Amino acid sequence: TLLKSKTSQESHIRSDTVAFISRDDALECGIETQYDALMGMAHFLNCHMNFDSARTSLPRLPATIDRPLTNPTTLQIAEYSCGEFYVAHSDNLLLAE
């Protein structure tokens, strides 16, 4: 089974089991359609959105000014057993000074 890792986040944030999967893994699990849809989002948004007003600096490679959104090489998936949870939160909370 692919799903065998708990995250390092605190137990009050999430209790699910996660894995990072490639397209081959997605195909093996029968979720290649969902994988392809997620991987296609960056291309779709790059083609249909204007990010000019959101730009505050040059994008990091492999992104470009014309295509600021890129894809990772793997996607994170999660499995929830009965009673497991994920609490909406921010890993990058900005605190007011």
Side-chain angles (χ1 to χ4, degrees):
T1 179
L2 294 172
L3 297 175
K4 53 188 170 193
S5 299
K6 293 291 185 183
T7 71
S8 60
Q9 290 180 317
E10 296 180 37
S11 60
H12 70 278
I13 297 293
R14 67 188 308 164
S15 62
D16 55 336
T17 304
V18 300
F20 287 87
I21 64 168
S22 66
R23 179 140 196 325
D24 288 342
D25 296 330
L27 186 61
E28 181 181 325
C29 295
I31 58 171
E32 67 274 9
T33 301
Q34 293 85 346
Y35 182 95
D36 291 344
L38 289 170
M39 289 302 242
M41 285 185 181
H43 175 74
F44 177 85
L45 292 171
N46 281 331
C47 291
H48 295 91
M49 299 288 296
N50 181 343
F51 295 98
D52 290 342
S53 64
R55 187 175 300 119
T56 59
S57 63
L58 293 175
R60 292 184 178 178
L61 292 175
T64 65
I65 290 174
D66 293 332
R67 295 203 166 301
L69 302 179
T70 61
N71 285 328
T73 56
T74 58
L75 293 178
Q76 183 180 17
I77 62 171
E79 178 180 54
Y80 295 85
S81 294
C82 184
E84 289 191 318
F85 60 89
Y86 178 91
V87 176
H89 68 285
S90 172
D91 291 338
N92 302 307
L93 183 61
L94 298 176
L95 300 175
E97 294 184 16

